[in-house]
Amino acid sequence: MATPIHQRLREDVLASVFAPDEPLTEAKLTERYGASRTPVREALQRLEQDGLVERRGKAVVVRTHSAEEIIDIYESRIILEQAAAAKAAVKATALDRQLLMGLLTQMQQLDPGDGRALAETNRAFHAQLWRATHSPSLIGLLERLDQQVRRYTLTTLTYPGRWPVVLADYVDLLAAIGDGDSARAGEIAARHMSDALNIRLKMYAEDPRTL
Amino acid sequence: MATPIHQRLREDVLASVFAPDEPLTEAKLTERYGASRTPVREALQRLEQDGLVERRGKAVVVRTHSAEEIIDIYESRIILEQAAAAKAAVKATALDRQLLMGLLTQMQQLDPGDGRALAETNRAFHAQLWRATHSPSLIGLLERLDQQVRRYTLTTLTYPGRWPVVLADYVDLLAAIGDGDSARAGEIAARHMSDALNIRLKMYAEDPRTL
DNA sequence: TTGCACACCATTGTATACAATGGTGTGCAA
DNA sequence: TTGCACACCATTGTATACAATGGTGTGCAA
């Protein structure tokens, strides 16, 4: 079975294949993905519900976010990541903790200049942390929020001096989770996300085009 | 313009028009809503993404939740309602507060035996509280969670002795919001939702069929 | 009776014809 | 040149024909 079209379209949108104001016409997408309009329309509808594209008049375009919207999403995410870390401290299994340790070790060996690799393993780490909550609803909410700002997240990790702090935060976080210290795990996660927001704001102040 | 089909289907699903294991075949729905398969399929897909229906094999059926899943959703909701109340205390405008007061007054005049009216205004109150956060992402997350358990929420409000407590909680909550006391508003909301969960658990223990 | 292979057909998945619509460019008036 | 009315057509919306598929019942073997 080939990869479903909505998934391919999703990847392309997240990889910024389409320009911000470029109309995602059904004709263009049927050609690109070699399918008829029906599955293409379904894919567009799905991504619209996920908040990745939006209807602008008749056309569908990649959804962009204002600085205010991004801040808003970050603020919600701080809350959810705090809750997730706190819950993971209580619910994580030995396997969850091992997987997290493995990912952390992997991250410590990465080239801090390779933004793509940083972003990728960082996301894997977060995803595993979410799974460690064993809470389907939390996982769903976090995935939803993450997807909406994924296109923008590469940058904070490569901000000067950020990466070592990220790694140190994760070490502390795993220690707290290992101790089953829910409150501390939550605090670390909240501060971590809050730092990420502050860096984004600083970057925005330095150059508004970075979003 | 007629009401879109996905909206009508959504209302019907939430109103428990369909039995838990009844297949929502496209043929049945095209007849019911007087449209062709294309819009019906779109509606089914939307509701599937919203978590209201699910594919079981080839068929689509109304999604039901196990006790564990409902508890999980409540727990996430406690977190989000706390965050929303805290944020509303900071962000609510005079208009927001007036609308909330109006809804509360309305609720105080309802017949406590009219479960449907209770559920309806209660939802309106929550929705207005969410709006008072002026946070699109929080509102979206809360709407999503609410929808998934909406079919089950009627019952806690009519549980013996519950309604007066609900009203008292809302009075306290609005007072905290009026004072701009973010922490207290959050605490009240969290305890309120946590009480609702406990009542649901008690009901479940008394009669597992109530879900 | 029980278990299984298989064929049928109800149902979903995909492609596409036709209808509806809204965005854009043309041409005319001022 | 500027503003506006209007017609065209690109694009989306809807209906439906045809293809694919999986669930179910039938009949046969043991």
Side-chain angles (χ1 to χ4, degrees):
Chain A
M1 187 192 61
T3 332
I5 286 179
H6 69 88
Q7 203 173 309
R8 294 211 274 156
L9 179 59
R10 184 184 310 263
E11 281 160 17
D12 286 345
V13 167
L14 290 174
S16 297
V17 166
F18 308 102
D21 287 329
E22 182 184 357
L24 270 45
T25 64
E26 295 171 5
K28 189 193 299 177
L29 300 179
T30 53
E31 196 192 1
R32 182 178 178 92
Y33 302 113
S36 74
R37 285 179 58 212
T38 306
V40 163
R41 284 174 62 82
E42 288 194 0
L44 282 172
Q45 203 194 308
R46 268 178 107 116
L47 291 226
E48 188 188 358
Q49 275 211 286
D50 289 343
L52 293 182
V53 302
E54 66 185 345
R55 269 160 219 288
R56 193 177 298 166
K58 206 178 194 178
V60 173
V61 298
V62 172
R63 182 162 167 192
T64 56
H65 296 86
S66 66
E68 283 76 18
E69 285 170 322
I70 291 180
I71 292 171
D72 178 56
I73 290 172
Y74 262 93
E75 286 179 351
S76 293
R77 199 164 159 189
I78 290 169
I79 293 157
L80 288 178
E81 291 278 3
Q82 171 167 27
K87 194 157 218 162
V90 178
K91 300 275 187 182
T93 64
L95 176 60
D96 290 326
R97 287 193 296 271
Q98 259 185 309
L99 289 170
L100 284 169
M101 288 303 257
L103 284 165
L104 180 53
T105 307
Q106 223 177 295
M107 291 168 90
Q108 286 165 335
Q109 290 160 356
L110 288 178
D111 166 14
D114 186 353
R116 175 174 296 274
L118 262 46
E120 210 168 295
T121 46
N122 183 61
R123 179 160 320 111
F125 184 86
H126 277 268
Q128 179 52 42
L129 185 65
W130 303 341
R131 263 179 255 127
T133 63
H134 296 270
S135 164
S137 65
L138 259 189
I139 294 170
L141 297 173
L142 278 158
E143 279 174 349
R144 192 180 155 73
L145 277 192
D146 176 53
Q147 242 188 26
Q148 290 186 15
V149 290
R150 189 177 301 181
R151 262 178 313 129
Y152 311 109
T153 47
L154 191 143
T155 39
T156 59
L157 297 175
T158 50
Y159 190 82
R162 175 62 175 158
W163 187 242
V165 176
V166 168
L167 292 177
D169 283 351
Y170 291 171
V171 169
D172 291 351
L173 182 59
L174 289 197
I177 289 174
D179 295 347
D181 190 336
S182 192
R184 187 154 59 95
E187 276 161 32
I188 293 168
R191 192 188 36 69
H192 177 78
M193 286 310 295
S194 162
D195 286 352
L197 170 55
N198 284 329
I199 288 174
R200 176 153 307 291
L201 291 175
K202 214 186 296 181
M203 289 174 74
Y204 182 74
E206 286 167 10
D207 179 1
R209 285 168 312 169
T210 59
L211 260 173
Chain B
M1 185 192 61
T3 333
I5 287 179
H6 69 89
Q7 203 173 309
R8 295 212 273 156
L9 179 59
R10 183 186 310 262
E11 282 160 16
D12 287 344
V13 167
L14 291 174
S16 297
V17 166
F18 307 103
D21 286 330
E22 182 184 356
L24 270 45
T25 64
E26 294 171 5
K28 188 194 299 177
L29 300 179
T30 52
E31 197 192 0
R32 181 178 178 92
Y33 302 113
S36 75
R37 285 178 58 211
T38 306
V40 163
R41 284 174 63 83
E42 287 194 359
L44 282 172
Q45 202 194 309
R46 268 176 107 116
L47 291 226
E48 188 188 358
Q49 273 210 287
D50 288 343
L52 293 182
V53 302
E54 66 185 345
R55 270 160 219 286
R56 193 178 298 166
K58 206 181 196 179
V60 173
V61 296
V62 172
R63 182 162 167 192
T64 56
H65 296 87
S66 66
E68 284 75 18
E69 285 169 323
I70 291 181
I71 292 171
D72 178 55
I73 291 172
Y74 262 92
E75 287 179 351
S76 293
R77 200 166 156 187
I78 291 170
I79 292 157
L80 288 177
E81 291 277 2
Q82 171 167 29
K87 195 157 219 166
V90 178
K91 299 277 188 182
T93 63
L95 175 61
D96 289 326
R97 287 194 296 270
Q98 259 185 307
L99 290 170
L100 284 168
M101 288 302 258
L103 284 165
L104 179 53
T105 307
Q106 223 177 294
M107 291 169 91
Q108 285 166 334
Q109 290 160 356
L110 287 178
D111 167 14
D114 185 354
R116 177 175 295 276
L118 262 46
E120 209 168 296
T121 46
N122 184 61
R123 179 162 320 111
F125 183 86
H126 277 269
Q128 179 52 42
L129 186 64
W130 303 342
R131 262 179 257 127
T133 64
H134 296 270
S135 164
S137 64
L138 259 189
I139 294 170
L141 297 173
L142 278 158
E143 279 175 349
R144 192 181 157 74
L145 277 192
D146 175 54
Q147 242 187 25
Q148 291 187 13
V149 291
R150 189 178 300 181
R151 263 178 313 130
Y152 312 108
T153 47
L154 190 144
T155 40
T156 59
L157 297 175
T158 51
Y159 189 81
R162 176 61 174 158
W163 187 243
V165 177
V166 169
L167 292 178
D169 282 351
Y170 290 172
V171 169
D172 291 350
L173 181 59
L174 290 198
I177 289 173
D179 295 347
D181 189 339
S182 193
R184 185 153 61 93
E187 276 162 31
I188 294 168
R191 191 188 36 69
H192 177 78
M193 287 310 296
S194 166
D195 287 352
L197 171 56
N198 284 329
I199 289 175
R200 173 150 312 288
L201 290 176
K202 215 186 294 178
M203 292 174 73
Y204 183 74
E206 286 166 8
D207 178 2
R209 285 168 313 171
T210 58
L211 261 176

